């Protein structure tokens, strides 16, 4: 019996991929790269922050909701344009980063002409929204100007870099209040600013662990010890200001504001503890959006917290239910 060696069996020739299928796959890859340029997951920043103004106008009316929608879209477009601009400006540094080197511009999968055109289209769409009421959209215009300054100068100055980015989050909230006309709560702005600082400092800490200051010159002004201290300070400020907002300026009224603060305390503390655990024990934190939206423990805590505050809000604005609750 003759045993045929594998080397004796001729390999079947691979059929070339049909041209239409290759074109479809190339087109799909190009669309994925264009989508990746604008960081789709980061649209959550605008979707979560701009509509916060609706809390100050509860119960809502159609005009306020109608004003929030274009304001949210405006900040999504502005942020997307900024991401593309930053990728263009940082493409040389990104090539030395273990993760950012895979971004479409840095990796060369999207050429500079296409990236510039993409950015121009987004800005044109933004301009169409802003043109409807320029006076109401000054926060998004300040955001664009701030990010130009950030890309050119501010991103290279330690501490100023994270403060500038955190201010961009505050401007998202201000934009929502600008289009609704509701009173702007000071404690809420402090909360958003300090929470943003907390997430950004955690991101800087992770960048120090991954690659040092070669990728981001501002990291020369940071150290692991400094970031650990800054995380503690920002955590305390975020916790205190958030609870003060719920008690004094939230949509629960004077009767239920203190109740909302007390009910929120364990959820807020646990959220901070979990974030610090991921930072200091799990060695995560490079992508704050991923932590907030994909960590199951964080998501479960946030959902329970939101449900608790939602029930409290309904009771606070229903006289019959409010009268039945012993306080």
């Amino acid at each position: 019996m003759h045993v045929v060696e594998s080397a004796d069996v001729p390999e079947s020739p691979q059929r070339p991929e049909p041209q239409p299928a290759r074109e479809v796959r190339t087109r799909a890859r190009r669309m994925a790269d264009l989508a990746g340029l604008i960081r789709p997951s980061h649209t959550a920043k605008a979707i979560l922050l701009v509509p916060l103004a609706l809390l100050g106008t509860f119960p809502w009316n159609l005009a306020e909701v109608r004003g929030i929608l274009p304001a949210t879209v405006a900040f999504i477009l502005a942020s997307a344009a900024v991401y593309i601009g930053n990728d263009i400006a940082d493409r040389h540094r990104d090539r030395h980063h273990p993760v950012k080197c895979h971004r479409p511009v840095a990796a060369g999968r999207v050429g500079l002409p296409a990236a510039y055109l993409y950015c121009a289209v987004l800005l044109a769409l933004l301009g169409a929204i802003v043109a409807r009421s320029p006076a109401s959209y000054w926060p998004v215009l300040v955001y664009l100007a701030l990010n130009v300054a950030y890309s050119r100068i501010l991103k290279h100055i330690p501490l100023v870099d994270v403060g500038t980015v955190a201010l961009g989050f505050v401007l998202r909230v201000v934009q929502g209040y600008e289009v609704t006309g509701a009173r702007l709560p000071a404690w809420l702005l402090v909360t958003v600013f300090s929470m943003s600082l907390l997430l950004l400092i955690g991101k800087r800490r992770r960048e120090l662990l991954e690659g040092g200051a070669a990728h981001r010159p501002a990291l020369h002004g940071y150290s692991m010890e400094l970031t650990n201290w800054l995380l503690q300070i920002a955590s305390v400020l975020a916790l205190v200001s958030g609870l003060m907002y719920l008690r004094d300026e939230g949509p629960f009224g004077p009767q239920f504001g203190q109740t909302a603060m007390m009910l929120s305390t364990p959820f807020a503390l646990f959220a901070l503890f979990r974030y610090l655990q991921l930072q200091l024990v799990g060695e995560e934190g490079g992508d704050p959006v991923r932590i907030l939206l994909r960590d199951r423990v964080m998501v479960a805590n946030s959902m329970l917290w939101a449900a608790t505050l939602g029930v409290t809000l309904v009771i606070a604005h229903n006289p019959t239910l409010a009268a039945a609750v012993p306080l």
Side-chain angles (χ1 to χ4, degrees):
M1 182 177 180
H2 176 64
V3 178
V4 180
E5 299 290 341
S6 59
D8 297 334
V9 179
E11 294 184 0
S12 57
Q14 294 183 351
R15 294 182 180 179
E17 185 179 16
Q19 182 68 20
R22 188 161 54 245
E23 290 178 355
V24 169
R25 192 166 70 227
T26 301
R27 192 180 303 115
R29 189 182 301 117
R30 187 179 300 116
M31 294 300 295
D33 286 334
L34 291 176
L37 265 180
I38 62 175
R39 321 274 212 283
S41 62
H42 288 242
T43 58
K45 298 174 183 177
I47 293 172
L48 293 175
L49 291 177
V50 177
L52 283 179
L54 294 176
L55 295 176
T57 61
F58 188 86
W60 310 312
N61 60 55
L62 185 59
E64 291 161 347
V65 175
R66 192 182 298 142
I68 283 293
L69 289 176
T72 303
V73 173
F75 252 102
I76 290 174
L77 293 171
S79 300
V82 165
Y83 292 140
I84 296 174
N86 285 339
D87 280 1
I88 293 173
D90 297 341
R91 62 189 185 278
H92 300 300
R93 288 193 184 93
D94 286 347
R95 288 170 185 149
H96 301 288
H97 191 274
V99 176
K100 296 180 181 180
C101 64
H102 300 294
R103 288 178 174 175
V105 174
R109 297 193 306 273
V110 175
L112 290 183
Y116 278 118
L117 178 61
Y118 195 8
C119 185
V121 170
L122 293 173
L123 290 175
L125 294 174
L126 173 62
I129 296 176
V130 173
R132 297 169 54 189
S133 179
S136 299
Y137 283 91
W138 65 264
V140 75
L141 299 177
V142 172
Y143 172 82
L144 288 175
L146 187 67
N147 274 277
V148 171
Y150 175 80
S151 294
R152 293 180 175 273
I153 301 173
L154 301 180
K155 69 188 302 179
H156 304 304
I157 305 176
L159 301 181
V160 174
D161 61 329
V162 292
T164 303
V165 179
L167 184 57
F169 287 88
V170 174
L171 288 171
R172 289 174 171 87
V173 179
V174 174
Q175 181 65 78
Y177 278 88
E178 188 67 26
V179 296
T180 61
R183 184 180 64 87
L184 194 62
W187 278 121
L188 179 61
L189 297 185
V190 175
T191 302
V192 172
F193 185 73
S194 53
M195 276 297 301
S196 302
L197 283 177
L198 177 64
L199 298 174
L200 291 164
I201 292 166
K203 185 177 181 180
R204 293 293 181 269
R205 184 180 184 278
R206 186 61 186 173
E207 289 173 340
L208 281 172
L209 287 172
E210 289 179 345
H215 166 68
R216 191 185 295 273
L219 290 176
H220 286 292
Y222 294 92
S223 67
M224 295 301 295
E225 182 180 6
L226 175 62
T227 55
N228 290 342
W229 276 102
L230 294 178
L231 284 174
Q232 297 178 51
I233 296 171
S235 297
V236 172
L237 181 58
L239 177 65
V240 173
S241 59
L243 295 178
M244 290 301 98
Y245 162 72
L246 291 173
R247 190 190 70 175
D248 299 335
E249 300 176 326
F252 304 96
Q255 182 180 2
F256 283 88
Q258 185 166 339
T259 301
M261 179 192 71
M262 293 175 62
L263 292 174
S264 294
T265 299
F267 293 107
L269 278 172
F270 183 82
L272 289 174
F273 290 170
R274 175 61 176 171
Y275 177 73
L276 293 175
Q277 181 187 47
L278 293 172
Q279 274 285 345
L280 304 176
V281 179
E283 297 299 341
E284 298 183 27
D287 187 350
V289 175
R290 182 181 297 273
I291 290 179
L292 296 179
L293 299 182
R294 298 187 183 181
D295 180 69
R296 294 181 179 180
V297 176
M298 190 75 79
V299 171
N301 179 69
S302 299
M303 293 178 66
L304 290 173
W305 188 3
T308 301
L309 289 181
V311 172
T312 306
L313 186 63
V314 171
I315 295 175
H317 287 271
N318 189 308
T320 304
L321 294 174
V325 175
L327 290 177

